[in-house]
Amino acid sequence: MGEKLEAIYNLVTQKTGFKGRIRLAAVTGVSKTKAVEMEDTDKILKKFKDAAAEIIGKDVDELL
Amino acid sequence: MALKGKLSEMGLSDIVQVACKGRNQACLLVQSQGQEGSLFFENGQIVHAILDSQEGEEVIYELLTWEDGIFEIKQEVTPPKRTITANWHSLLLEGMRRLDEQDPRLRDTTSKTFEDAEVAVGNSHGDRHRTHGINKKEREVTKMNANKLDEAIEVMKKDMKGGLIATDIWTVADGQSLAGFNTQPKATALFNELTSYLVESLEGSGFPALGKYYVMDLVEGVMACVIPLGEYRWGMLLDSTKAPLGLLLNVVIPNAVDRFEEAIAS
């Protein structure tokens, strides 16, 4: 559960540090702790990918 | 020059911010349903408030509940007296907390165009524990859960096993502490400046950007650590004999970030 969301969190943290991670939490309203426990549904994944792309400045699918 | 408007178009908290940031002597008159309240500003703070026979902080909290009415800011008005000493951030925070207690929907109507600082749900610990979010672009998402922020501080204290000397979470924008333990306002402001300088220096030198944290080894067995968290920073002063570096890096900081994130996300 939540492997993809966790991977997005890890990617954002790797690329932008805690600054990006906190921004991702703020935008999605889902903390990493909760993301790990959530199901990777298409809807939530899209939300995370869009948010991450905005934070990193690159398409997340290219980096995952 | 006087600035006039409707409360339905610009909430009182926004007006207060404008007035405080202007740092001028000014008087804000607010009229609603036959009542008239006044706030007096000086040097970027609210120094006096009056509504009928009532004076002081309670007037601000009352005026924050007004949804309809008109306001006018008159410049160059000398406050007739000083009945308020609290920082305007703290006053807005407490006002918002009270509004939330009454009706969470009310709070939204009092702040329609918050520019740089939004006071979000808070608690009643006063200056030592106050919470407000920052950043107009992220205004809609940076409302902080103050209880969770306090929880984060408590978790840090526990993780440090008695090694935590002081800690503050502050906003980058103004270097003001949102929450803390044995809070250090001067150190908070100075470390905010220092961190900004460090960030700029790294950028200017062509080095990689500041990562997840930086740690300073101080004399007398003390360590200082700052974690940049976007629009916020979390600094702490530690007794390194009780909270060794390994514990800090592998337990304290990860847990602190998790908890802070919970406060943001919720």
Side-chain angles (χ1 to χ4, degrees), chain B residues 49 51 54-63 84 94 98:
Chain B
L51 173 63
Q54 197 177 12
E55 291 183 340
E57 292 182 12
E58 291 299 322
V59 170
I60 298 172
Y61 306 142
E62 171 62 25
L63 296 182
I84 296 169
E94 176 60 14
R98 293 185 183 204

Side-chain angles (χ1 to χ4, degrees), chain B residues 69-89:
Chain B
I70 57 172
F71 69 87
E72 180 177 358
I73 298 177
K74 293 180 177 175
Q75 301 291 347
E76 309 291 330
V77 178
T78 304
K81 60 201 290 193
R82 283 166 179 73
T83 54
I84 296 169
T85 55
N87 181 287
W88 67 271
H89 281 112

Side-chain angles (χ1 to χ4, degrees), chain A residues 18 21 23 25-26 29 31-32, chain B residues 138 141 212 230 258 261-262 265:
Chain A
F18 289 142
R21 181 175 158 180
R23 172 98 173 100
S31 66
K32 186 181 177 184
Chain B
E138 299 178 10
V141 294
K212 296 174 182 174
D258 281 352
E261 200 176 71
E262 291 286 339

Side-chain angles (χ1 to χ4, degrees), chain B residues 123-197:
Chain B
N123 52 32
S124 56
H125 295 298
D127 279 346
R128 289 177 66 85
H129 286 77
R130 58 187 186 275
T131 304
H132 58 270
I134 291 288
N135 189 332
K136 58 189 174 185
K137 281 168 69 183
E138 299 178 10
R139 187 176 68 80
E140 72 280 10
V141 294
T142 52
K143 293 172 183 172
M144 188 84 75
N145 184 318
N147 290 333
K148 286 194 178 287
L149 210 56
D150 286 342
E151 280 177 26
I153 299 284
E154 288 303 316
V155 167
M156 174 172 281
K157 281 165 67 177
K158 192 178 168 189
D159 285 345
M160 293 279 195
K161 304 183 188 305
L164 184 64
I165 299 169
T167 189
D168 277 288
I169 299 169
W170 68 85
T171 55
V172 175
D174 61 9
Q176 295 228 47
S177 177
L178 308 176
F181 162 68
N182 192 16
T183 189
Q184 307 283 322
K186 274 189 185 174
T188 296
L190 292 171
F191 267 86
N192 191 41
E193 292 298 312
L194 176 67
T195 307
S196 296
Y197 186 65

Side-chain angles (χ1 to χ4, degrees), chain B residues 27-32 35-39 49-52 59 63 66:
Chain B
C27 173
L28 168 64
L29 296 172
V30 189
Q31 294 177 323
S32 179
Q35 282 189 294
E36 182 178 287
S38 303
L39 301 183
I50 182 166
L51 173 63
D52 298 327
V59 170
L63 296 182
W66 291 9

Side-chain angles (χ1 to χ4, degrees), chain B residues 40-56:
Chain B
F40 293 86
F41 300 87
E42 193 173 63
N43 296 324
Q45 297 293 338
I46 308 168
V47 296
H48 179 50
I50 182 166
L51 173 63
D52 298 327
S53 60
Q54 197 177 12
E55 291 183 340

Side-chain angles (χ1 to χ4, degrees), chain A residues 5-25 48-49 51-53 55-56 60 63-64:
Chain A
L5 296 181
E6 186 181 15
I8 294 172
Y9 250 114
N10 290 340
L11 177 68
V12 168
T13 308
Q14 182 198 340
K15 295 287 180 189
T16 63
F18 289 142
K19 177 181 178 178
R21 181 175 158 180
I22 295 302
R23 172 98 173 100
L24 186 61
F48 266 74
K49 284 181 178 177
I55 294 164
I56 297 172
V60 174
L63 302 168
L64 283 172

